[in-house]
Amino acid sequence: MKKMIMVNGRMADAIRWDGVNIAEIRELAGEKLMEPHLCMGFLYLFIATEDGISQCNEGDWVAKDTDCNLHVLKAEDMQ
């Protein structure tokens, strides 16, 4: 599911990582999405952001702002 949110004062397209929507995340993040990592039955994503490599867990959001910067937003921060 894609939605518009505010990130650091900028509008951003955001997609919630649900553990299976890798195609949607790949479309948003492009080459900044690294190879997914499977560990104990969970698929973790790693995304290159301007702050470094960020881990995206199931339930977290990946956002791309108007300057094309990527952000990983933790599920607990989005509530």
Side-chain angles (χ1 to χ4, degrees):
M1 173 177 94
K2 191 181 223 182
K3 71 177 190 175
M4 294 293 290
I5 62 170
M6 289 291 287
V7 178
N8 297 333
R10 295 188 181 118
M11 289 303 294
D13 288 321
I15 298 174
R16 184 177 177 270
W17 169 235
D18 64 12
V20 294
N21 60 338
I22 190 75
E24 281 184 282
I25 301 289
R26 190 178 311 277
E27 184 179 326
L28 181 72
E31 63 187 39
K32 293 184 178 183
L33 173 64
M34 303 170 129
E35 284 299 312
H37 178 73
L38 181 63
C39 180
M40 297 180 70
F42 292 97
L43 191 60
Y44 297 96
L45 301 181
F46 293 91
I47 297 174
T49 68
E50 54 185 4
D51 296 325
I53 306 299
S54 294
Q55 180 176 324
C56 183
N57 303 323
E58 217 172 294
D60 292 348
W61 290 77
V62 178
K64 185 176 187 179
D65 67 27
T66 53
D67 290 335
C68 295
N69 296 317
L70 291 174
H71 308 270
V72 175
L73 308 166
K74 296 299 174 188
E76 55 269 14
D77 296 336
M78 292 295 292
Q79 297 185 24

